[in-house]
Amino acid sequence: MLSIHNLEASVEDKPILKGLSLSVKPGEVHAIMGPNGSGKSTLGHVLAGREGYEVTGGSVDFFGTDLTELEPEERAREGLFLAFQYPVEIPGVSNLEFLKAAVDAKREHAGLEPLDSVSFIRTARESCQKVDLEQSFLKRGVNEGFSGGEKKRNELLQMMMLEPKIAILDETDSGLDIDALQVVAKGVNAMRNEERGFVVVTHYQRLLNYIVPDYVHVLAGGRIVKSGGKELALQLESEGYGWLEADK
Amino acid sequence: MAEAVGQWLNQVTPLPWLQEKSSEGAGVVNSQPWPTPKAEYWKYTSLKHIERGGFDFSAIEQASPVSSEAVSIIELDTFNLVFVDGQFRADLSNLDPASPELPEGLDIIDFAHADAGQQAFIRDALHSTVQEQKHVLAHLSVAMLSQGLLIRVAPETRIEKPVQITHYTTAQADQKGMQHRVLVHLGHHAELNLVEMYGSDDSAHTGWMNQVTEVIQEPESAMQHYRLHQEQQAMAHTGAVHVTLDKQARFNSFLLGYGGKLKRLDYVVHHEGPAAECNLQGVYLVNQRQHFDLRTQIEHKVPHCLTDEVFRGIIDDKGLAVFNGKIHIHKHAQKTLAEMSNRNLLLSENAQINTKPELEIYADDVKCAHGATISQMDSDALVYLRSRGISAAEAAVMLSFGFINEILMTIKHPEILGYIRPSIVRRFGQDERLMRHLL
Ligand SMILES: Nc1ncnc2c1ncn2[C@@H]1O[C@H](COP(=O)(O)OP(=O)(O)O)[C@@H](O)[C@H]1O
Ligand SMILES: [Mg+2]
């Protein structure tokens, strides 16, 4: 469903991704690990279509369409979801209104009527429970004054409401204590199914004990330099990334 | 003095029993130079447009056909007095000030129908809140006073149903000068809701309205006031709200201000009795090539009073907005609590805001704070919303609303909020569907 081929991308004319290839099929979970600054978040932003992230080469195919041709909102409506490493605070716009606008936009795109407010609010409340956020968080401004962990859980809440075809989780585990980590893992695992793909970007092997990946990739210097099964994560954990330098 | 002033004065016949007041007003206007941007009080707003616009204050000959739906757009049950192109329209109002049917304790009196006792009251009270020479246009308004309304609430009387004054302009208002006065008097412990609406039909017309609302509040009285300005763009409006508050009186006011060819609003509130409260909130929306100038001046003359002032503005295209808020705390006004905040969102590179909140403090035991900010649309927030499937246009509406929502949520009458929200979206040239996120 998602097929990235030799992707090159620059930020402010600085090449960051330098020929990255990755293919995700329905139902698969891919983990991406790699040192700081290797381009993991850049990959997420490029896929989500963020302005300023310029694709300079290669291709991204998403269910047969050229993803790079789509506006960011179209990508989201087509079923691509990026959980941000640093979710944005938006005072004045309530979380609930935000979710409603997002869900309605997606439904409209699919030719569905907007959800009526009552069933929408019910679904939102249920999802809140699943990610262990109090319902009062729905009334607050989007991420406004949320702690790091609450922001991450709010990303998960959005993912649940939007039911994407592919979800890219950018370090959704960083800054979480073990309980919060388990909540996140449980939420993701509950959404795993035959059709949905995941790309889980993480710094730590620990998350992968709970979200067991089908593949693990190492991203370094803007490329996937090594791919393997879940055991690769354990190897990275014990050996660090030093061997990457040696390999070059 | 501008030549135009003489012409305007010739075009109107002031009420004979107010002749003395009118002459006094004309005297004050004539005693000083006509305002130009050289004067600090008019720094950002030139009156050339009204001075040279050839506005004609003589009465309109033929009344415009206007539907009652057009002038009663808020779904709120009010005593609605409707003026079209400056003239009272009994056919559109649900109250006849010649023989009003009103609840006990509420008087609404057209100056033209005032009896001797009421005339005496008006002569005494009118213009008493306008205490400085510099309010030239307010003095001009009394000099030209040919029509006005007195609204009185008797002591210990609470009037729940709002009084609404609707000024609506049509193509007939083109090149017309219009004036109106409102004098409100709240007795001891009286309560009133007042809605002032200014709107226009879709026709292109110039026109200038000079309006003054005065509010005199006796001890412990409470007023909820709305002033909603949504005239079409080419209209000029110079307006003022002058208030005096006696002991423990409370004045709450919400302003919705759209920009126009020339718009200048002055709010002047005098705390004259201890422990009075003044809450001013408002939003202004200025786009295209509109101009909007808001001045507030709060005079704390006695101890223990409170002022809370919060205004937010959104300026787009080549709009120009001015906020100048002054809180003046006199020497004896100890234990004053005063806060003023003005925040602005600029949506285009050519949009302009001049903001100047000022505190002048001569008492030593007071708590005061003020602040002003100017910001742009948060691009990270925009990215975030779009990444969730929300279109750029809808995201922009959500973020703009987010910016002013806090202020809108202070509106006490849900019917007024329900009316204002879609109106704001339309003003920004957007599809009302873009408000679907509002729950
Ligand atoms: N907005 C940006 N402006 C300039 N440089 C950026 C920007 N975003 C990322 N970079 C640079 O791109 C490289 C990759 O960053 P990033 O994708 O955030 O790495 P990771 O997520 O793997 O830690 C880094 O060198 C970083 O400094
Ligand atoms: Mg990162």
Side-chain angles (χ1 to χ4, degrees), chain A residues 140-213:
Chain A
R140 285 167 64 174
V142 176
N143 294 321
E144 189 184 2
F146 290 20
S147 72
E150 286 159 357
K151 282 180 184 165
K152 299 295 169 95
R153 279 181 276 158
N154 201 31
E155 294 293 287
L156 218 59
L157 169 66
Q158 294 162 42
M159 178 175 80
M160 286 177 174
M161 298 290 293
L162 289 170
E163 303 180 319
K165 292 179 182 142
I166 187 160
I168 303 150
L169 310 182
D170 191 358
E171 298 206 24
T172 303
D173 55 331
S174 11
L176 298 188
D177 61 27
I178 192 73
D179 293 336
L181 189 80
Q182 284 178 347
V183 170
V184 166
K186 206 172 124 200
V188 171
N189 286 330
M191 288 195 67
R192 278 178 86 157
N193 64 28
E194 305 275 279
E195 269 119 58
R196 187 168 290 132
F198 286 88
V199 176
V200 180
V201 174
T202 179
H203 226 64
Y204 307 101
Q205 189 273 334
R206 139 186 115 136
L207 176 70
L208 304 180
N209 289 334
Y210 301 99
I211 303 174
V212 181

Side-chain angles (χ1 to χ4, degrees), chain A residues 2-9 16-24 29-35 37-44 47 59 168 198-202 215-229 232 236 241 243-244 247-248:
Chain A
L2 179 71
S3 170
I4 305 169
H5 187 66
N6 270 336
L7 182 64
E8 293 173 23
I16 311 284
L17 301 183
K18 300 168 182 167
L20 183 148
S21 297
L22 177 71
S23 180
V24 181
V29 174
H30 292 246
I32 296 186
M33 304 181 76
S38 59
K40 302 183 299 292
S41 291
T42 301
L43 174 63
L47 293 177
S59 65
I168 303 150
F198 286 88
V199 176
V200 180
V201 174
T202 179
Y215 302 93
V216 174
H217 309 276
V218 181
L219 176 54
R223 270 192 215 101
I224 303 280
V225 293
K226 195 171 171 83
S227 298
L232 179 56
L236 290 169
Y241 297 107
W243 55 273
L244 285 174
D247 267 15
K248 266 190 189 164

Side-chain angles (χ1 to χ4, degrees), chain A residues 85-192:
Chain A
Q85 183 175 2
Y86 303 109
V88 183
E89 297 199 17
I90 314 179
V93 176
S94 86
N95 221 1
L96 196 65
E97 288 172 357
F98 165 55
L99 287 167
K100 174 106 166 68
V103 170
D104 282 355
K106 178 153 193 220
R107 290 181 66 92
E108 185 176 27
H109 182 68
L112 298 169
E113 288 291 307
L115 275 184
D116 65 277
S117 297
V118 175
S119 17
F120 170 75
I121 292 170
R122 194 189 320 115
T123 318
R125 286 188 176 152
E126 284 166 10
S127 305
C128 253
Q129 228 159 27
K130 285 185 198 150
V131 298
D132 203 18
L133 273 181
E134 301 233 352
Q135 286 176 12
S136 61
F137 282 82
L138 291 172
K139 289 210 177 122
R140 285 167 64 174
V142 176
N143 294 321
E144 189 184 2
F146 290 20
S147 72
E150 286 159 357
K151 282 180 184 165
K152 299 295 169 95
R153 279 181 276 158
N154 201 31
E155 294 293 287
L156 218 59
L157 169 66
Q158 294 162 42
M159 178 175 80
M160 286 177 174
M161 298 290 293
L162 289 170
E163 303 180 319
K165 292 179 182 142
I166 187 160
I168 303 150
L169 310 182
D170 191 358
E171 298 206 24
T172 303
D173 55 331
S174 11
L176 298 188
D177 61 27
I178 192 73
D179 293 336
L181 189 80
Q182 284 178 347
V183 170
V184 166
K186 206 172 124 200
V188 171
N189 286 330
M191 288 195 67
R192 278 178 86 157

Side-chain angles (χ1 to χ4, degrees), chain B residues 239-257:
Chain B
V241 179
H242 288 255
V243 183
T244 57
L245 300 177
D246 206 334
K247 197 179 138 202
Q248 292 178 28
R250 281 169 294 144
F251 177 73
N252 253 319
S253 185
F254 176 84
L255 169 70
L256 172 66

Side-chain angles (χ1 to χ4, degrees), chain A residues 50-51 71-73 76-77 81-82 84 88 90 92-93 96-98 100-102 105 108 117 143 155 158, chain B residues 378 380-381 383-392 394 398-399 401-403 405 421 433 436-439:
Chain A
R50 183 166 189 166
E51 253 169 67
E71 293 293 328
E73 55 269 35
R77 294 174 199 158
F81 181 89
L82 170 67
F84 283 52
V88 183
I90 314 179
V93 176
L96 196 65
E97 288 172 357
F98 165 55
K100 174 106 166 68
E108 185 176 27
S117 297
N143 294 321
E155 294 293 287
Q158 294 162 42
Chain B
D378 179 352
D380 287 341
V383 163
Y384 193 65
L385 295 180
R386 289 180 74 189
S387 78
R388 299 303 181 240
I390 298 165
S391 72
E394 186 166 4
M398 287 174 75
L399 294 176
F401 254 109
F403 185 71
N405 209 22
R421 279 177 146 174
R433 279 193 332 138
R436 62 183 173 190
H437 67 284
L438 294 171
L439 285 160

